[in-house]
Amino acid sequence: MNKHITKSHHSIQLASAIFAGLLISLPTMLQSAQAQQQTVNRPGSKINPCPSIFYEEPHNNRVPVPQGCPANAFTNRINSSSSPSSTYNSNTGITNTEINPSSSQIQQGVGGEAPNSNSMTQSSTSQITVVPTNRYNNAVAAVSPTNGRVSILLINQTNAPIIYQAIGDTQQRILPGRSQITLQNLHTPANVNFYRQDRGLLMATPRSSRQGTLQLTLQETTDFAMDKTSLRIENNGAVYLN
């Protein structure tokens, strides 16, 4: 009987010691948890600078990556665009271009503009590359050349300036938003390259307006499949877009 009482007394003493130890260590545990929470919620805690949303559709093909992040499809497309003098730098978030407006007078006659032109002549440190004929799709229109020459009425229906060049006839020039220009007496085959200065998408609609003249209307689009940057007129008057 005395052994049973002694054993129970020892159990009570052991439980009391454990409970007292928990009471002593409880404040320390609470302080540690509070310190960890403050560390997690600290305003200067590190945040992912390159969230995955920039690499998921539709942002992957529509939005440039934040400064310093790996390039997504949109950034790569800007860097490999048709103008060799323009690149998008993801480290600075700036599109660099070597195209600068020139103060030289607008040429008239072959490859020049009509007298009522609103366009601005500009120079460039590099020429736009002529797109090989085999990269064009089927003919989308036709025009009747006059003595091997054609004229193109270029209509900009966007609010953004458009950079254009008739290869072999003009330098790179700027067509302001909501304006038009006539490229006169271009030799066939004629190649004209164009793109929006803000790198937006362009839909090009060609239409034969009168003998020897092609009307090319440029409009904004959000459809990548409709985006065009080059026009070619063959010797027989067939019109191709790329």
Side-chain angles (χ1 to χ4, degrees):
M1 180 71 178
N2 291 334
K3 290 182 180 181
H4 180 71
I5 294 174
T6 301
K7 186 174 180 181
S8 298
H9 181 67
H10 288 167
S11 299
I12 293 173
Q13 288 181 337
L14 180 59
S16 299
I18 293 173
F19 181 72
L22 290 174
L23 290 177
I24 293 173
S25 61
L26 182 59
T28 303
M29 295 171 62
L30 290 175
Q31 291 178 357
S32 176
Q34 185 177 9
Q36 291 180 359
Q37 183 177 7
Q38 291 176 351
T39 301
V40 172
N41 297 329
R42 186 181 304 165
S45 58
K46 188 175 182 181
I47 301 175
N48 181 14
C50 305
S52 61
I53 191 173
F54 288 97
Y55 306 95
E56 300 173 356
E57 298 301 339
H59 300 81
N60 183 47
N61 278 290
R62 295 186 180 181
V63 182
V65 296
Q67 183 174 335
C69 292
N72 61 5
F74 182 83
T75 305
N76 287 329
R77 187 169 61 256
I78 292 178
N79 288 336
S80 60
S81 93
S82 61
S83 175
S85 58
S86 298
T87 57
Y88 176 79
N89 189 333
S90 61
N91 292 323
T92 62
I94 298 175
T95 301
N96 299 317
T97 177
E98 298 178 5
I99 297 176
N100 297 304
S102 170
S103 60
S104 61
Q105 296 181 349
I106 299 174
Q107 298 178 355
Q108 298 295 323
V110 177
E113 287 86 0
N116 61 350
S117 166
N118 294 321
S119 69
M120 298 169 57
T121 304
Q122 71 169 23
S123 61
S124 173
T125 57
S126 60
Q127 297 292 323
I128 298 179
T129 304
V130 178
V131 181
T133 306
N134 56 9
R135 286 184 55 185
Y136 288 84
N137 296 322
N138 295 331
V140 293
V143 62
S144 300
T146 302
N147 298 324
R149 297 176 184 268
V150 294
S151 295
I152 299 176
L153 174 59
L154 200 60
I155 302 175
N156 181 4
Q157 290 190 350
T158 75
N159 292 320
I162 289 179
I163 311 299
Y164 70 94
Q165 180 180 5
I167 304 302
D169 288 306
T170 72
Q171 299 295 318
Q172 288 190 16
R173 294 171 179 169
I174 297 176
L175 180 61
R178 302 296 173 181
S179 63
Q180 64 184 40
I181 195 71
T182 301
L183 305 178
Q184 297 178 324
N185 300 321
L186 303 179
H187 293 86
T188 56
N191 293 277
V192 178
N193 292 352
F194 47 85
Y195 61 91
R196 281 174 55 174
Q197 195 173 46
D198 61 3
R199 298 299 177 180
L201 305 181
L202 276 177
M203 179 176 67
T205 306
R207 184 171 66 88
S208 182
S209 58
R210 59 179 182 270
Q211 179 71 25
T213 300
L214 178 76
Q215 177 179 304
L216 183 65
T217 303
L218 302 175
Q219 299 171 293
E220 298 176 357
T221 182
T222 56
D223 187 351
F224 286 101
M226 299 296 294
D227 186 37
K228 303 297 180 184
T229 58
S230 300
L231 173 139
R232 180 179 176 86
I233 301 177
E234 295 289 358
N235 291 327
N236 62 1
V239 178
Y240 299 87
L241 287 173
N242 183 62

